[in-house]
Amino acid sequence: KDTIVLSFGHNDPEGLKNWEVFLADETGEIKASYTGSEPGMYEAVFDGLDSNGAILPDGEYNAGFVSFYDNGAKVAHSEAIVIDRVIPTVSVNISSRLISPGKDEPGNSTDISFKSDEIVTWKGVIKDSSGKEVVETSDEDTTSLIVWEGMDDSGNYLSDGDYFLSASFTDRAGNTYNHKTEKITVKRRV
């Protein structure tokens, strides 16, 4: 996500003196703040910049609001947020780049797996040499292991030739890693 929206308002605006919306770092130092005195419902948008427009470093922050009243009372709410601009580190492993599907013996499939340094959603596709997509899969379909037996999404064996795997991985903050295209060759034994 590029922004975080904090919605806030005043249930009892009587005696409201002023309010402040803030973003504080782990030490409690205020990095961005907005103030006002009119009661109502508001949304504060935090975009990863401090009050001077400088980019804040990645890390954990506390976003919140405080309402100050004439009688000295204050009402506050805050929640932890994380600024994360780092693309996930992902390794992709293909057990065999040459498969001979259709026979019940070693080499009839390849295991495609990945490992990430953080939680990611992912999407993978395999295309033939003309660029036609023959297989599409994602984290909604399977875990981090795909066993490909040289078939398309309909379960039909594909023709001999080169096929190209591409995959993208997105972390919870929306940072995406696009893995380089990998070639897998399908060649049937005679």
Side-chain angles (χ1 to χ4, degrees):
K1 297 180 182 178
D2 292 332
T3 59
I4 292 178
V5 178
L6 181 64
S7 300
F8 67 99
H10 306 93
N11 292 336
D12 185 10
E14 187 174 326
L16 178 68
K17 184 176 174 182
N18 61 6
W19 51 263
E20 177 183 23
V21 178
F22 64 88
L23 182 67
D25 67 13
E26 290 178 299
T27 68
E29 182 181 344
I30 302 294
K31 295 298 185 176
S33 66
Y34 311 95
T35 60
S37 58
E38 294 295 318
M41 294 301 294
Y42 295 94
E43 286 187 343
V45 179
F46 293 109
D47 57 5
L49 303 177
D50 68 13
S51 291
N52 297 318
I55 296 173
L56 290 167
D58 286 3
E60 294 184 20
Y61 292 83
N62 198 24
F65 70 91
V66 182
S67 299
F68 300 94
Y69 290 87
D70 290 331
N71 64 4
K74 74 178 184 181
V75 176
H77 173 77
S78 65
E79 58 187 69
I81 64 169
V82 175
I83 294 178
D84 175 8
R85 294 180 191 86
V86 178
I87 293 173
T89 300
V90 180
S91 62
V92 176
N93 182 51
I94 301 171
S95 65
S96 176
R97 294 181 186 278
L98 173 64
I99 61 173
S100 299
K103 297 194 179 220
D104 190 17
E105 54 188 65
N108 70 341
S109 65
T110 186
D111 294 344
I112 304 166
S113 61
F114 72 87
K115 189 172 193 173
S116 176
D117 64 341
E118 60 184 297
I119 296 171
V120 293
T121 58
W122 58 273
K123 178 182 176 186
V125 295
I126 298 175
K127 296 181 180 181
D128 64 17
S129 58
S130 74
K132 178 183 172 198
E133 191 173 292
V134 294
V135 175
E136 179 182 0
T137 188
S138 72
D139 57 284
E140 294 176 2
D141 300 325
T142 185
T143 62
S144 63
L145 174 66
I146 302 157
V147 177
W148 188 51
E149 298 177 331
M151 290 187 255
D152 64 16
D153 277 337
S154 300
N156 302 309
Y157 283 107
L158 296 166
S159 303
D160 286 1
D162 293 331
Y163 293 84
F164 302 90
L165 167 72
S166 60
S168 63
F169 304 86
T170 304
D171 69 15
R172 292 177 287 185
N175 303 306
T176 299
Y177 166 71
N178 292 306
H179 186 71
K180 67 180 181 179
T181 301
E182 302 268 7
K183 180 173 86 170
I184 302 171
T185 301
V186 171
K187 183 170 175 65
R188 295 192 198 312
R189 294 186 183 101
V190 196

PDB file of all heavy atoms in Angstrom, residues 156-188:
ATOM      1  N   ASN A 156      -4.263 -31.761 -20.428  1.00  0.00           N
ATOM      2  CA  ASN A 156      -3.773 -32.326 -21.689  1.00  0.00           C
ATOM      3  C   ASN A 156      -2.253 -32.241 -21.731  1.00  0.00           C
ATOM      4  O   ASN A 156      -1.674 -31.205 -21.390  1.00  0.00           O
ATOM      5  CB  ASN A 156      -4.346 -31.554 -22.878  1.00  0.00           C
ATOM      6  CG  ASN A 156      -5.853 -31.560 -22.886  1.00  0.00           C
ATOM      7  OD1 ASN A 156      -6.477 -32.606 -22.779  1.00  0.00           O
ATOM      8  ND2 ASN A 156      -6.443 -30.382 -22.992  1.00  0.00           N
ATOM      9  N   TYR A 157      -1.614 -33.339 -22.189  1.00  0.00           N
ATOM     10  CA  TYR A 157      -0.161 -33.295 -22.345  1.00  0.00           C
ATOM     11  C   TYR A 157       0.197 -32.304 -23.440  1.00  0.00           C
ATOM     12  O   TYR A 157      -0.464 -32.245 -24.487  1.00  0.00           O
ATOM     13  CB  TYR A 157       0.399 -34.685 -22.684  1.00  0.00           C
ATOM     14  CG  TYR A 157       0.462 -35.575 -21.473  1.00  0.00           C
ATOM     15  CD1 TYR A 157      -0.429 -36.629 -21.319  1.00  0.00           C
ATOM     16  CD2 TYR A 157       1.413 -35.355 -20.484  1.00  0.00           C
ATOM     17  CE1 TYR A 157      -0.380 -37.448 -20.202  1.00  0.00           C
ATOM     18  CE2 TYR A 157       1.473 -36.177 -19.355  1.00  0.00           C
ATOM     19  CZ  TYR A 157       0.571 -37.208 -19.229  1.00  0.00           C
ATOM     20  OH  TYR A 157       0.629 -38.004 -18.114  1.00  0.00           O
ATOM     21  N   LEU A 158       1.247 -31.543 -23.194  1.00  0.00           N
ATOM     22  CA  LEU A 158       1.696 -30.540 -24.148  1.00  0.00           C
ATOM     23  C   LEU A 158       2.683 -31.146 -25.130  1.00  0.00           C
ATOM     24  O   LEU A 158       3.324 -32.164 -24.843  1.00  0.00           O
ATOM     25  CB  LEU A 158       2.330 -29.368 -23.402  1.00  0.00           C
ATOM     26  CG  LEU A 158       1.356 -28.604 -22.511  1.00  0.00           C
ATOM     27  CD1 LEU A 158       2.117 -27.693 -21.546  1.00  0.00           C
ATOM     28  CD2 LEU A 158       0.390 -27.785 -23.353  1.00  0.00           C
ATOM     29  N   SER A 159       2.848 -30.511 -26.271  1.00  0.00           N
ATOM     30  CA  SER A 159       3.793 -30.958 -27.295  1.00  0.00           C
ATOM     31  C   SER A 159       5.221 -30.767 -26.815  1.00  0.00           C
ATOM     32  O   SER A 159       5.494 -29.944 -25.939  1.00  0.00           O
ATOM     33  CB  SER A 159       3.605 -30.138 -28.574  1.00  0.00           C
ATOM     34  OG  SER A 159       2.283 -30.246 -29.037  1.00  0.00           O
ATOM     35  N   ASP A 160       6.132 -31.502 -27.417  1.00  0.00           N
ATOM     36  CA  ASP A 160       7.544 -31.294 -27.128  1.00  0.00           C
ATOM     37  C   ASP A 160       7.907 -29.849 -27.453  1.00  0.00           C
ATOM     38  O   ASP A 160       7.380 -29.253 -28.395  1.00  0.00           O
ATOM     39  CB  ASP A 160       8.411 -32.225 -27.987  1.00  0.00           C
ATOM     40  CG  ASP A 160       8.353 -33.668 -27.513  1.00  0.00           C
ATOM     41  OD1 ASP A 160       7.636 -33.952 -26.529  1.00  0.00           O
ATOM     42  OD2 ASP A 160       9.021 -34.511 -28.132  1.00  0.00           O
ATOM     43  N   GLY A 161       8.819 -29.304 -26.657  1.00  0.00           N
ATOM     44  CA  GLY A 161       9.270 -27.942 -26.912  1.00  0.00           C
ATOM     45  C   GLY A 161       9.692 -27.250 -25.629  1.00  0.00           C
ATOM     46  O   GLY A 161       9.718 -27.846 -24.553  1.00  0.00           O
ATOM     47  N   ASP A 162      10.013 -25.982 -25.793  1.00  0.00           N
ATOM     48  CA  ASP A 162      10.433 -25.178 -24.655  1.00  0.00           C
ATOM     49  C   ASP A 162       9.241 -24.426 -24.081  1.00  0.00           C
ATOM     50  O   ASP A 162       8.421 -23.869 -24.824  1.00  0.00           O
ATOM     51  CB  ASP A 162      11.522 -24.181 -25.077  1.00  0.00           C
ATOM     52  CG  ASP A 162      12.817 -24.866 -25.463  1.00  0.00           C
ATOM     53  OD1 ASP A 162      13.096 -25.961 -24.925  1.00  0.00           O
ATOM     54  OD2 ASP A 162      13.556 -24.315 -26.298  1.00  0.00           O
ATOM     55  N   TYR A 163       9.174 -24.408 -22.762  1.00  0.00           N
ATOM     56  CA  TYR A 163       8.115 -23.702 -22.027  1.00  0.00           C
ATOM     57  C   TYR A 163       8.788 -22.760 -21.038  1.00  0.00           C
ATOM     58  O   TYR A 163       9.916 -23.016 -20.591  1.00  0.00           O
ATOM     59  CB  TYR A 163       7.185 -24.706 -21.332  1.00  0.00           C
ATOM     60  CG  TYR A 163       6.413 -25.500 -22.355  1.00  0.00           C
ATOM     61  CD1 TYR A 163       6.967 -26.633 -22.947  1.00  0.00           C
ATOM     62  CD2 TYR A 163       5.163 -25.090 -22.772  1.00  0.00           C
ATOM     63  CE1 TYR A 163       6.285 -27.337 -23.919  1.00  0.00           C
ATOM     64  CE2 TYR A 163       4.467 -25.795 -23.750  1.00  0.00           C
ATOM     65  CZ  TYR A 163       5.046 -26.908 -24.320  1.00  0.00           C
ATOM     66  OH  TYR A 163       4.359 -27.595 -25.294  1.00  0.00           O
ATOM     67  N   PHE A 164       8.097 -21.678 -20.726  1.00  0.00           N
ATOM     68  CA  PHE A 164       8.726 -20.614 -19.957  1.00  0.00           C
ATOM     69  C   PHE A 164       7.892 -20.266 -18.730  1.00  0.00           C
ATOM     70  O   PHE A 164       6.723 -19.891 -18.843  1.00  0.00           O
ATOM     71  CB  PHE A 164       8.945 -19.395 -20.846  1.00  0.00           C
ATOM     72  CG  PHE A 164       9.792 -19.724 -22.039  1.00  0.00           C
ATOM     73  CD1 PHE A 164       9.216 -20.154 -23.228  1.00  0.00           C
ATOM     74  CD2 PHE A 164      11.170 -19.676 -21.948  1.00  0.00           C
ATOM     75  CE1 PHE A 164       9.990 -20.500 -24.316  1.00  0.00           C
ATOM     76  CE2 PHE A 164      11.964 -20.025 -23.035  1.00  0.00           C
ATOM     77  CZ  PHE A 164      11.379 -20.432 -24.220  1.00  0.00           C
ATOM     78  N   LEU A 165       8.536 -20.424 -17.577  1.00  0.00           N
ATOM     79  CA  LEU A 165       7.901 -20.138 -16.292  1.00  0.00           C
ATOM     80  C   LEU A 165       8.237 -18.713 -15.878  1.00  0.00           C
ATOM     81  O   LEU A 165       9.400 -18.307 -15.904  1.00  0.00           O
ATOM     82  CB  LEU A 165       8.428 -21.110 -15.225  1.00  0.00           C
ATOM     83  CG  LEU A 165       8.111 -20.756 -13.772  1.00  0.00           C
ATOM     84  CD1 LEU A 165       6.638 -20.988 -13.478  1.00  0.00           C
ATOM     85  CD2 LEU A 165       8.989 -21.551 -12.830  1.00  0.00           C
ATOM     86  N   SER A 166       7.211 -17.956 -15.496  1.00  0.00           N
ATOM     87  CA  SER A 166       7.449 -16.654 -14.875  1.00  0.00           C
ATOM     88  C   SER A 166       6.582 -16.586 -13.623  1.00  0.00           C
ATOM     89  O   SER A 166       5.534 -17.237 -13.544  1.00  0.00           O
ATOM     90  CB  SER A 166       7.135 -15.510 -15.839  1.00  0.00           C
ATOM     91  OG  SER A 166       5.797 -15.558 -16.253  1.00  0.00           O
ATOM     92  N   ALA A 167       7.041 -15.822 -12.650  1.00  0.00           N
ATOM     93  CA  ALA A 167       6.312 -15.739 -11.389  1.00  0.00           C
ATOM     94  C   ALA A 167       6.542 -14.377 -10.756  1.00  0.00           C
ATOM     95  O   ALA A 167       7.606 -13.767 -10.916  1.00  0.00           O
ATOM     96  CB  ALA A 167       6.773 -16.844 -10.437  1.00  0.00           C
ATOM     97  N   SER A 168       5.517 -13.912 -10.040  1.00  0.00           N
ATOM     98  CA  SER A 168       5.643 -12.668  -9.283  1.00  0.00           C
ATOM     99  C   SER A 168       5.198 -12.927  -7.849  1.00  0.00           C
ATOM    100  O   SER A 168       4.302 -13.732  -7.595  1.00  0.00           O
ATOM    101  CB  SER A 168       4.821 -11.550  -9.920  1.00  0.00           C
ATOM    102  OG  SER A 168       3.456 -11.870  -9.906  1.00  0.00           O
ATOM    103  N   PHE A 169       5.842 -12.239  -6.927  1.00  0.00           N
ATOM    104  CA  PHE A 169       5.629 -12.433  -5.493  1.00  0.00           C
ATOM    105  C   PHE A 169       5.416 -11.061  -4.864  1.00  0.00           C
ATOM    106  O   PHE A 169       6.236 -10.163  -5.060  1.00  0.00           O
ATOM    107  CB  PHE A 169       6.844 -13.117  -4.868  1.00  0.00           C
ATOM    108  CG  PHE A 169       7.190 -14.422  -5.529  1.00  0.00           C
ATOM    109  CD1 PHE A 169       7.997 -14.458  -6.656  1.00  0.00           C
ATOM    110  CD2 PHE A 169       6.687 -15.608  -5.031  1.00  0.00           C
ATOM    111  CE1 PHE A 169       8.313 -15.655  -7.270  1.00  0.00           C
ATOM    112  CE2 PHE A 169       6.992 -16.819  -5.638  1.00  0.00           C
ATOM    113  CZ  PHE A 169       7.804 -16.850  -6.758  1.00  0.00           C
ATOM    114  N   THR A 170       4.337 -10.906  -4.096  1.00  0.00           N
ATOM    115  CA  THR A 170       4.006  -9.613  -3.500  1.00  0.00           C
ATOM    116  C   THR A 170       3.870  -9.762  -1.993  1.00  0.00           C
ATOM    117  O   THR A 170       3.149 -10.644  -1.515  1.00  0.00           O
ATOM    118  CB  THR A 170       2.696  -9.062  -4.096  1.00  0.00           C
ATOM    119  OG1 THR A 170       2.833  -8.990  -5.527  1.00  0.00           O
ATOM    120  CG2 THR A 170       2.368  -7.692  -3.544  1.00  0.00           C
ATOM    121  N   ASP A 171       4.571  -8.900  -1.251  1.00  0.00           N
ATOM    122  CA  ASP A 171       4.478  -8.954   0.209  1.00  0.00           C
ATOM    123  C   ASP A 171       3.255  -8.183   0.701  1.00  0.00           C
ATOM    124  O   ASP A 171       2.525  -7.579  -0.082  1.00  0.00           O
ATOM    125  CB  ASP A 171       5.782  -8.485   0.872  1.00  0.00           C
ATOM    126  CG  ASP A 171       6.073  -7.004   0.700  1.00  0.00           C
ATOM    127  OD1 ASP A 171       5.178  -6.228   0.323  1.00  0.00           O
ATOM    128  OD2 ASP A 171       7.227  -6.609   0.956  1.00  0.00           O
ATOM    129  N   ARG A 172       3.032  -8.205   2.000  1.00  0.00           N
ATOM    130  CA  ARG A 172       1.841  -7.581   2.581  1.00  0.00           C
ATOM    131  C   ARG A 172       1.808  -6.067   2.393  1.00  0.00           C
ATOM    132  O   ARG A 172       0.744  -5.465   2.447  1.00  0.00           O
ATOM    133  CB  ARG A 172       1.725  -7.933   4.060  1.00  0.00           C
ATOM    134  CG  ARG A 172       1.409  -9.408   4.267  1.00  0.00           C
ATOM    135  CD  ARG A 172       1.367  -9.763   5.714  1.00  0.00           C
ATOM    136  NE  ARG A 172       2.728  -9.775   6.237  1.00  0.00           N
ATOM    137  CZ  ARG A 172       3.051 -10.136   7.455  1.00  0.00           C
ATOM    138  NH1 ARG A 172       2.122 -10.496   8.302  1.00  0.00           N
ATOM    139  NH2 ARG A 172       4.306 -10.141   7.853  1.00  0.00           N
ATOM    140  N   ALA A 173       2.972  -5.452   2.159  1.00  0.00           N
ATOM    141  CA  ALA A 173       3.016  -3.999   1.954  1.00  0.00           C
ATOM    142  C   ALA A 173       2.814  -3.632   0.487  1.00  0.00           C
ATOM    143  O   ALA A 173       2.743  -2.467   0.146  1.00  0.00           O
ATOM    144  CB  ALA A 173       4.348  -3.441   2.447  1.00  0.00           C
ATOM    145  N   GLY A 174       2.710  -4.651  -0.382  1.00  0.00           N
ATOM    146  CA  GLY A 174       2.491  -4.382  -1.806  1.00  0.00           C
ATOM    147  C   GLY A 174       3.763  -4.327  -2.632  1.00  0.00           C
ATOM    148  O   GLY A 174       3.718  -4.016  -3.820  1.00  0.00           O
ATOM    149  N   ASN A 175       4.919  -4.644  -2.042  1.00  0.00           N
ATOM    150  CA  ASN A 175       6.180  -4.671  -2.787  1.00  0.00           C
ATOM    151  C   ASN A 175       6.242  -5.969  -3.588  1.00  0.00           C
ATOM    152  O   ASN A 175       6.010  -7.042  -3.035  1.00  0.00           O
ATOM    153  CB  ASN A 175       7.373  -4.598  -1.826  1.00  0.00           C
ATOM    154  CG  ASN A 175       7.317  -3.375  -0.945  1.00  0.00           C
ATOM    155  OD1 ASN A 175       7.214  -2.263  -1.426  1.00  0.00           O
ATOM    156  ND2 ASN A 175       7.366  -3.582   0.358  1.00  0.00           N
ATOM    157  N   THR A 176       6.560  -5.861  -4.889  1.00  0.00           N
ATOM    158  CA  THR A 176       6.516  -7.028  -5.768  1.00  0.00           C
ATOM    159  C   THR A 176       7.895  -7.369  -6.320  1.00  0.00           C
ATOM    160  O   THR A 176       8.628  -6.494  -6.774  1.00  0.00           O
ATOM    161  CB  THR A 176       5.546  -6.788  -6.941  1.00  0.00           C
ATOM    162  OG1 THR A 176       4.241  -6.573  -6.403  1.00  0.00           O
ATOM    163  CG2 THR A 176       5.501  -7.971  -7.885  1.00  0.00           C
ATOM    164  N   TYR A 177       8.212  -8.660  -6.271  1.00  0.00           N
ATOM    165  CA  TYR A 177       9.411  -9.201  -6.903  1.00  0.00           C
ATOM    166  C   TYR A 177       8.963 -10.028  -8.098  1.00  0.00           C
ATOM    167  O   TYR A 177       8.126 -10.939  -7.958  1.00  0.00           O
ATOM    168  CB  TYR A 177      10.180 -10.089  -5.917  1.00  0.00           C
ATOM    169  CG  TYR A 177      11.238 -10.952  -6.564  1.00  0.00           C
ATOM    170  CD1 TYR A 177      12.397 -10.389  -7.074  1.00  0.00           C
ATOM    171  CD2 TYR A 177      11.068 -12.326  -6.682  1.00  0.00           C
ATOM    172  CE1 TYR A 177      13.376 -11.177  -7.682  1.00  0.00           C
ATOM    173  CE2 TYR A 177      12.034 -13.125  -7.284  1.00  0.00           C
ATOM    174  CZ  TYR A 177      13.178 -12.533  -7.771  1.00  0.00           C
ATOM    175  OH  TYR A 177      14.131 -13.305  -8.382  1.00  0.00           O
ATOM    176  N   ASN A 178       9.484  -9.702  -9.287  1.00  0.00           N
ATOM    177  CA  ASN A 178       9.206 -10.481 -10.489  1.00  0.00           C
ATOM    178  C   ASN A 178      10.417 -11.342 -10.790  1.00  0.00           C
ATOM    179  O   ASN A 178      11.502 -10.819 -11.090  1.00  0.00           O
ATOM    180  CB  ASN A 178       8.897  -9.550 -11.670  1.00  0.00           C
ATOM    181  CG  ASN A 178       7.601  -8.816 -11.475  1.00  0.00           C
ATOM    182  OD1 ASN A 178       6.571  -9.416 -11.236  1.00  0.00           O
ATOM    183  ND2 ASN A 178       7.647  -7.498 -11.545  1.00  0.00           N
ATOM    184  N   HIS A 179      10.223 -12.653 -10.682  1.00  0.00           N
ATOM    185  CA  HIS A 179      11.335 -13.586 -10.904  1.00  0.00           C
ATOM    186  C   HIS A 179      11.645 -13.669 -12.391  1.00  0.00           C
ATOM    187  O   HIS A 179      10.756 -13.601 -13.232  1.00  0.00           O
ATOM    188  CB  HIS A 179      10.958 -14.966 -10.353  1.00  0.00           C
ATOM    189  CG  HIS A 179      12.084 -15.937 -10.400  1.00  0.00           C
ATOM    190  ND1 HIS A 179      13.183 -15.835  -9.575  1.00  0.00           N
ATOM    191  CD2 HIS A 179      12.292 -17.021 -11.185  1.00  0.00           C
ATOM    192  CE1 HIS A 179      14.013 -16.820  -9.845  1.00  0.00           C
ATOM    193  NE2 HIS A 179      13.500 -17.549 -10.814  1.00  0.00           N
ATOM    194  N   LYS A 180      12.936 -13.836 -12.705  1.00  0.00           N
ATOM    195  CA  LYS A 180      13.342 -13.977 -14.107  1.00  0.00           C
ATOM    196  C   LYS A 180      12.640 -15.179 -14.732  1.00  0.00           C
ATOM    197  O   LYS A 180      12.290 -16.147 -14.053  1.00  0.00           O
ATOM    198  CB  LYS A 180      14.849 -14.135 -14.207  1.00  0.00           C
ATOM    199  CG  LYS A 180      15.343 -15.440 -13.609  1.00  0.00           C
ATOM    200  CD  LYS A 180      16.832 -15.591 -13.716  1.00  0.00           C
ATOM    201  CE  LYS A 180      17.215 -16.948 -13.121  1.00  0.00           C
ATOM    202  NZ  LYS A 180      18.601 -17.229 -13.184  1.00  0.00           N
ATOM    203  N   THR A 181      12.434 -15.135 -16.020  1.00  0.00           N
ATOM    204  CA  THR A 181      11.785 -16.231 -16.743  1.00  0.00           C
ATOM    205  C   THR A 181      12.728 -17.433 -16.789  1.00  0.00           C
ATOM    206  O   THR A 181      13.923 -17.293 -17.060  1.00  0.00           O
ATOM    207  CB  THR A 181      11.417 -15.786 -18.165  1.00  0.00           C
ATOM    208  OG1 THR A 181      10.537 -14.662 -18.068  1.00  0.00           O
ATOM    209  CG2 THR A 181      10.726 -16.894 -18.936  1.00  0.00           C
ATOM    210  N   GLU A 182      12.170 -18.606 -16.499  1.00  0.00           N
ATOM    211  CA  GLU A 182      12.945 -19.853 -16.473  1.00  0.00           C
ATOM    212  C   GLU A 182      12.431 -20.785 -17.577  1.00  0.00           C
ATOM    213  O   GLU A 182      11.225 -20.924 -17.765  1.00  0.00           O
ATOM    214  CB  GLU A 182      12.769 -20.559 -15.123  1.00  0.00           C
ATOM    215  CG  GLU A 182      13.170 -19.727 -13.929  1.00  0.00           C
ATOM    216  CD  GLU A 182      14.608 -19.917 -13.512  1.00  0.00           C
ATOM    217  OE1 GLU A 182      15.362 -20.602 -14.241  1.00  0.00           O
ATOM    218  OE2 GLU A 182      14.974 -19.383 -12.467  1.00  0.00           O
ATOM    219  N   LYS A 183      13.357 -21.444 -18.288  1.00  0.00           N
ATOM    220  CA  LYS A 183      12.978 -22.365 -19.377  1.00  0.00           C
ATOM    221  C   LYS A 183      12.924 -23.797 -18.862  1.00  0.00           C
ATOM    222  O   LYS A 183      13.810 -24.249 -18.143  1.00  0.00           O
ATOM    223  CB  LYS A 183      13.980 -22.258 -20.519  1.00  0.00           C
ATOM    224  CG  LYS A 183      13.655 -23.181 -21.703  1.00  0.00           C
ATOM    225  CD  LYS A 183      14.564 -22.927 -22.869  1.00  0.00           C
ATOM    226  CE  LYS A 183      15.816 -23.726 -22.720  1.00  0.00           C
ATOM    227  NZ  LYS A 183      16.667 -23.729 -23.923  1.00  0.00           N
ATOM    228  N   ILE A 184      11.854 -24.494 -19.258  1.00  0.00           N
ATOM    229  CA  ILE A 184      11.710 -25.923 -18.983  1.00  0.00           C
ATOM    230  C   ILE A 184      11.395 -26.594 -20.323  1.00  0.00           C
ATOM    231  O   ILE A 184      10.496 -26.146 -21.040  1.00  0.00           O
ATOM    232  CB  ILE A 184      10.569 -26.205 -17.981  1.00  0.00           C
ATOM    233  CG1 ILE A 184      10.815 -25.450 -16.667  1.00  0.00           C
ATOM    234  CG2 ILE A 184      10.428 -27.700 -17.734  1.00  0.00           C
ATOM    235  CD1 ILE A 184       9.646 -25.483 -15.702  1.00  0.00           C
ATOM    236  N   THR A 185      12.113 -27.638 -20.647  1.00  0.00           N
ATOM    237  CA  THR A 185      11.932 -28.323 -21.931  1.00  0.00           C
ATOM    238  C   THR A 185      11.148 -29.614 -21.728  1.00  0.00           C
ATOM    239  O   THR A 185      11.435 -30.386 -20.813  1.00  0.00           O
ATOM    240  CB  THR A 185      13.295 -28.641 -22.582  1.00  0.00           C
ATOM    241  OG1 THR A 185      14.006 -27.404 -22.772  1.00  0.00           O
ATOM    242  CG2 THR A 185      13.128 -29.344 -23.920  1.00  0.00           C
ATOM    243  N   VAL A 186      10.148 -29.805 -22.581  1.00  0.00           N
ATOM    244  CA  VAL A 186       9.364 -31.036 -22.594  1.00  0.00           C
ATOM    245  C   VAL A 186       9.839 -31.855 -23.813  1.00  0.00           C
ATOM    246  O   VAL A 186       9.815 -31.362 -24.938  1.00  0.00           O
ATOM    247  CB  VAL A 186       7.852 -30.750 -22.704  1.00  0.00           C
ATOM    248  CG1 VAL A 186       7.064 -32.034 -22.929  1.00  0.00           C
ATOM    249  CG2 VAL A 186       7.363 -30.015 -21.474  1.00  0.00           C
ATOM    250  N   LYS A 187      10.299 -33.068 -23.552  1.00  0.00           N
ATOM    251  CA  LYS A 187      10.750 -33.958 -24.638  1.00  0.00           C
ATOM    252  C   LYS A 187      10.395 -35.387 -24.250  1.00  0.00           C
ATOM    253  O   LYS A 187      10.910 -35.924 -23.280  1.00  0.00           O
ATOM    254  CB  LYS A 187      12.258 -33.806 -24.847  1.00  0.00           C
ATOM    255  CG  LYS A 187      12.771 -34.648 -26.001  1.00  0.00           C
ATOM    256  CD  LYS A 187      14.198 -34.266 -26.313  1.00  0.00           C
ATOM    257  CE  LYS A 187      14.812 -35.141 -27.366  1.00  0.00           C
ATOM    258  NZ  LYS A 187      14.236 -35.056 -28.665  1.00  0.00           N
ATOM    259  N   ARG A 188       9.504 -35.966 -25.018  1.00  0.00           N
ATOM    260  CA  ARG A 188       9.072 -37.324 -24.735  1.00  0.00           C
ATOM    261  C   ARG A 188      10.131 -38.346 -25.152  1.00  0.00           C
ATOM    262  O   ARG A 188      10.808 -38.179 -26.149  1.00  0.00           O
ATOM    263  CB  ARG A 188       7.782 -37.626 -25.494  1.00  0.00           C
ATOM    264  CG  ARG A 188       6.643 -36.776 -25.026  1.00  0.00           C
ATOM    265  CD  ARG A 188       5.322 -37.295 -25.567  1.00  0.00           C
ATOM    266  NE  ARG A 188       4.258 -36.345 -25.522  1.00  0.00           N
ATOM    267  CZ  ARG A 188       3.904 -35.595 -24.505  1.00  0.00           C
ATOM    268  NH1 ARG A 188       4.549 -35.679 -23.393  1.00  0.00           N
ATOM    269  NH2 ARG A 188       2.896 -34.758 -24.563  1.00  0.00           N
TER     270      ARG A 188
END
